Amino acid sequence: VHVCSKVAVGTSLMGKGGAVHEYVVGVRIVTPAPPGSERRFAVVREIGSHDPDLNAAKVSLGVLGVISQVTLQLEPLFKRSLTFLKNDSDADLAEMVTVWGRHHEFGDISWLPAQGKRWCSGRTTASTSPRRATVPTTSSPSAPSPRQTSSASERKGSDDAICRASRVLSPVFKEEGFGFTNDGESFTGYPVVGYQHSIQASGACQDVLEEEEEHDGLCPWDPRVHGTFLHNPAISVALSNATAFLKDVMRLRDRNRKAFCGIDLYMGILFRYVTGSTAYLGEAEDSIVLDIAYYRSRVEGRSAVHADVLEQMALYKYGGRPHRGKNRNYAFNDTVGRYPRLGEFLEVKARFDPDGVFSSEWSDQVLGIEGSPISMVPGCAVEGLCTCTDDVHFAPGYVCSTGTVYPDARVCSAVQPAPRCDGAAVNSISHLSPMLAGPT
């Protein structure tokens, strides 16, 4: 057997879905002893599948106590046959995204908005002998480095190089099977067949022998190389809102495609599917999760090019819920109302840990107990500590502007002519804004 067979960041709307916490059927948790208890310091609680407190414990942010044991429901290990399907048009994407996940157990979609293309994948039954198939996370040696391309573009104040590089990158990864292999060594074509724990895995760069590391075997997060450094927000949007949301994003994209080239450079937006959960802090209904990666400058105080293109619209207009491990502070502002069973979770928290021994300043903020994750200080919008309300929240030479597709958005726009955030000249208001005529 293989534990759960789906992973924490998996994708599925079938059965219990793709999140590990949906397979938790028992938890042992150590909490502070209540006043007057025979136990002086701690209580060991055994929470089974029929105990409603399990709905709090299986997504608890660590604020209920120390979880010392988790019991998971297992599935038999199975094989999976995978094929990536390319479509050179995204005209029907807004409609098809709501149904793809219901027809494909492990369906996901990678959308390249600037190019108007998409890649789709899903599970099919595999009856052939198992193969070793994993996804490396090293960059393709025949493709341009996204990091170097973005840094050069930042210095020049132009999106042209990023757009050219993104158009080169996607066909290279297509030819190389996006890192999948048919026999553990090379990609010879689709379908790729393998056990689920290999198909779903990422990180084959760690399998490279030490003597090969000097060439192309280092993982991009290895501290020995000047590797990845990016923003990687993830936000879930209810499937019932997905079509309207994507139509708005397309309106935004059509105003200035170049503004989305930086997203294409990191292989676009990944749409994953997650089911509505019984967990008090889980998804309230079936949703798509947007995983976005885009360039982040290593220079402190330098604004990201075309930052916040999608997040504010997803969060504020369509009630999106931020991934608790990926987003910047502003994404967690006023999220309490997006979890209709939060009150039930807080009731369990009050019983398990009434004095807040396992709480922190951050957990109190995101649970709406005390304080705010927002810091309204000069420059706060650059690093996502706030959504701007004043020009001082950006670097000198920039103003806090409203959006046109989504007027409630507040993003950075350059005053013409003005220095870029790093002091170089820029002559277009669209440098940090996702549209030619204004921001989001």
Side-chain angles (χ1 to χ4, degrees):
V1 295
H2 173 63
V3 175
C4 295
S5 81
K6 306 178 179 78
V7 296
V9 290
T11 174
S12 183
L13 288 177
M14 298 184 182
K16 290 191 174 185
V20 166
H21 64 259
E22 295 302 316
Y23 296 82
V24 174
V25 295
V27 168
R28 179 185 295 162
I29 184 169
V30 183
T31 66
S37 171
E38 295 180 357
R39 297 178 176 86
R40 293 181 57 190
F41 302 109
V43 173
V44 178
R45 300 175 186 265
E46 298 278 356
I47 306 175
S49 59
H50 299 294
D51 190 332
D53 288 344
L54 186 65
N55 293 325
K58 61 187 180 182
V59 181
S60 68
L61 306 185
V63 302
L64 301 184
V66 176
I67 296 177
S68 61
Q69 179 177 302
V70 176
T71 304
L72 297 167
Q73 176 181 321
L74 302 182
E75 290 187 8
L77 183 63
F78 61 86
K79 289 181 291 183
R80 176 177 165 193
S81 175
L82 181 143
T83 298
F84 277 94
L85 304 174
K86 180 187 177 184
N87 193 313
D88 287 329
S89 172
D90 60 8
D92 64 342
L93 178 65
E95 289 77 17
M96 70 88 63
V97 75
T98 62
V99 298
W100 183 260
R102 301 199 185 281
H103 292 285
H104 301 274
E105 183 174 3
F106 298 104
D108 58 31
I109 302 171
S110 292
W111 180 36
L112 306 178
Q115 299 177 54
K117 300 177 181 179
R118 66 174 185 255
W119 297 91
C120 305
S121 68
R123 174 187 179 182
T124 56
T125 302
S127 57
T128 59
S129 59
R131 303 290 180 88
R132 180 177 181 273
T134 54
V135 187
T137 50
T138 46
S139 297
S140 167
S142 53
S145 164
R147 179 79 209 170
Q148 294 173 348
T149 301
S150 298
S151 296
S153 178
E154 181 182 52
R155 291 191 296 270
K156 295 178 181 178
S158 170
D159 294 319
D160 292 340
I162 292 179
C163 292
R164 287 194 298 270
S166 66
R167 289 192 291 269
V168 171
L169 186 69
S170 55
V172 167
F173 272 87
K174 173 193 173 185
E175 293 299 321
E176 297 180 357
F178 297 94
F180 284 101
T181 64
N182 297 89
D183 56 7
E185 296 181 1
S186 60
F187 172 74
T188 57
Y190 295 115
V192 175
V193 179
Y195 283 120
Q196 165 67 354
H197 68 284
S198 292
I199 291 284
Q200 195 70 46
S202 178
C205 58
Q206 297 175 88
D207 296 335
V208 178
L209 298 176
E210 289 186 10
E211 56 265 26
E212 299 177 356
E213 287 187 351
E214 293 183 4
H215 305 289
D216 58 3
L218 289 174
C219 295
W221 56 80
D222 195 303
R224 292 172 290 177
V225 298
H226 200 62
T228 56
F229 188 64
L230 43 79
H231 290 296
N232 182 204
I235 300 169
S236 62
V237 175
L239 275 180
S240 57
N241 289 330
T243 296
F245 167 68
L246 283 175
K247 286 182 177 179
D248 265 355
V249 175
M250 288 178 173
R251 289 173 58 204
L252 187 65
R253 184 273 311 273
D254 291 343
R255 289 174 178 265
N256 181 10
R257 283 187 178 246
K258 285 186 177 181
F260 285 77
C261 288
I263 293 177
D264 282 16
L265 191 63
Y266 288 93
M267 292 310 296
I269 303 170
L270 173 65
F271 296 114
R272 298 185 291 107
Y273 294 91
V274 293
T275 55
S277 177
T278 58
Y280 297 151
L281 297 183
E283 297 294 338
E285 58 182 289
D286 291 352
S287 304
I288 58 168
V289 178
L290 292 76
D291 267 301
I292 313 167
Y294 56 85
Y295 173 81
R296 177 181 180 183
S297 177
R298 292 186 183 273
V299 179
E300 184 178 358
R302 180 177 291 173
S303 294
V305 177
H306 306 304
D308 306 342
V309 175
L310 308 177
E311 295 98 306
Q312 290 191 39
M313 187 182 295
L315 288 167
Y316 304 145
K317 184 174 182 180
Y318 291 99
R321 291 167 295 279
H323 188 294
R324 297 184 183 92
K326 290 188 174 183
N327 291 275
R328 295 171 290 165
N329 285 36
Y330 84 90
F332 297 98
N333 189 38
D334 194 30
T335 60
V336 173
R338 300 170 200 178
Y339 297 93
R341 305 190 72 179
L342 176 63
E344 294 173 83
F345 177 83
L346 294 179
E347 185 276 326
V348 177
K349 179 182 182 300
R351 283 192 284 111
F352 281 25
D353 184 21
D355 295 324
V357 174
F358 291 97
S359 294
S360 66
E361 180 181 2
W362 178 84
S363 66
D364 283 349
Q365 291 170 353
V366 300
L367 291 173
I369 296 172
E370 183 179 2
S372 169
I374 299 300
S375 299
M376 304 302 294
V377 297
C380 58
V382 175
E383 286 297 328
L385 299 177
C386 71
T387 299
C388 74
T389 57
D390 190 274
D391 297 347
V392 73
H393 296 147
F394 285 107
Y398 289 85
V399 295
C400 179
S401 302
T402 59
T404 53
V405 168
Y406 176 47
D408 289 342
R410 297 293 182 271
V411 292
C412 177
S413 295
V415 179
Q416 295 186 351
R420 277 203 352 250
C421 292
D422 60 353
V426 64
N427 295 312
S428 173
I429 196 171
S430 66
H431 177 67
L432 289 180
S433 160
M435 300 187 304
L436 289 173
T440 11

